[in-house]
Amino acid sequence: MSGHVLRTGDRVIAEYKSGQYIAEISELQPEKATVSVLAVRKHPLQGDLHRPYQADVGLFHQRKALAFREKVVLPLAALQPYEGAVPDYVESLRQAVQREKEALQQQQGAWAERALAELRKLEAEYFPRG
């Protein structure tokens, strides 16, 4: 974090397991911080993170977005200062899922099909109808 001193209570963009979130620092340590999720900027990729974009893997992971106020410990290098309004968590999740679905629909191949199927299952779980 070049030149910016982070403090407890600061809002940050946090990268975690291929997802990106707006979060608030709840605890600082010398090389890491505990953050609390406020909104979703990018939904995590589906599948095996060690073999990304491959469908032929032993376990094709379904990756959920971190929940509202879920806490996660991250290295300071995974954080960037965030300024601006914080969107509603549910609406930010809905938009992140939609962007990810649209990106997957532009791709060809078995990985994109499997990832889209997992994302649709998550969407039904995130936003149950009725």
Side-chain angles (χ1 to χ4, degrees):
M1 300 241 5
S2 59
H4 186 84
V5 177
L6 292 175
R7 294 183 172 81
T8 301
D10 283 359
R11 297 214 168 127
V12 293
I13 296 171
E15 304 269 346
Y16 182 73
K17 291 188 178 178
S18 79
Q20 190 180 76
Y21 304 88
I22 299 170
E24 184 173 85
I25 296 175
S26 55
E27 184 182 337
L28 270 172
Q29 297 171 19
E31 299 295 321
K32 56 189 173 180
T34 302
V35 300
S36 177
V37 172
L38 302 175
V40 181
R41 286 176 51 113
K42 182 187 179 307
H43 196 279
L45 290 175
Q46 303 304 299
D48 187 340
L49 292 182
H50 301 289
R51 294 171 56 195
Y53 309 109
Q54 294 183 31
D56 187 19
V57 293
L59 178 59
F60 195 90
H61 296 271
Q62 182 187 74
R63 300 206 180 283
K64 291 184 177 183
L66 296 174
F68 181 66
R69 290 287 181 193
E70 185 170 348
K71 290 187 177 358
V72 63
V73 178
L74 297 171
L76 294 181
L79 306 176
Q80 302 170 29
Y82 177 78
E83 306 226 355
V86 176
D88 173 74
Y89 175 84
V90 173
E91 187 55 32
S92 73
L93 176 59
R94 189 180 309 277
Q95 290 177 8
V97 167
Q98 186 61 36
R99 283 191 302 272
E100 194 70 17
K101 281 174 39 184
E102 288 169 2
L104 288 167
Q105 289 165 346
Q106 300 300 313
Q107 298 182 35
Q108 301 293 316
W111 174 80
E113 289 174 18
R114 287 189 73 182
L116 190 55
E118 291 303 324
L119 206 52
R120 285 184 174 131
K121 290 178 196 171
L122 285 172
E123 187 176 36
E125 186 178 325
Y126 292 151
F127 315 111
R129 299 189 193 280

